[in-house]
Amino acid sequence: MSGLLVREVAVSIAINSALNLGFTWLAFHGVELVAVDALVIDLIPTAFMIALMGSVVPSLINRRRLTPVLSVRFILLRGAGLALLSAALVVPAASLLLRGVEGLDWAQVLYLKMPLGAVIALAVTSWSLRGLGREIHA
């Protein structure tokens, strides 16, 4: 992995993790026991937005460094597709993993959402910038 790719992935993970933490705090702060249904519903926009921002923002910032240069339309459509795919994979998987659990406390919600958001950002950002057969020029 090139230095640029490592840096962009690290920045994406950091920014998406901070946003994920902030929105999780807004949604569930002060709730003693977070219902699994509420958490699963919260994962829909979480997975969607982390994938969208983790794909679109770094790709737009670095699009002139990619060979061939990607169109803005392609970047936006690919980002939307990855966001939909992320939500379509993460939400059912979380539903299955949490089946039978009544609720989670605040710390458990963070232990679930923070690594999940980081993994989504890592996967989507690295895939988006690397692309199939594309090279990144520093």
Side-chain angles (χ1 to χ4, degrees), residues 21-102:
L21 177 62
F23 283 110
T24 301
W25 185 84
L26 284 173
F28 300 118
H29 180 70
V31 176
E32 191 170 314
L33 192 66
V34 176
V36 170
D37 291 346
L39 180 59
V40 169
I41 290 169
D42 177 69
L43 286 175
I44 297 168
T46 298
F48 184 89
M49 289 308 295
I50 289 172
L52 184 67
M53 293 296 100
S55 173
V56 171
V57 174
S59 295
L60 287 175
I61 290 170
N62 293 290
R63 77 183 263 262
R64 301 230 186 274
R65 291 184 175 134
L66 299 172
T67 304
V69 175
L70 302 174
S71 72
V72 173
R73 180 178 183 207
F74 176 80
I75 290 170
L76 293 174
L77 289 173
R78 180 182 59 181
L82 287 171
L84 289 170
L85 179 63
S86 175
L89 293 174
V90 167
V91 175
S95 296
L96 287 173
L97 289 172
L98 295 171
R99 192 174 61 192
V101 176
E102 286 186 34

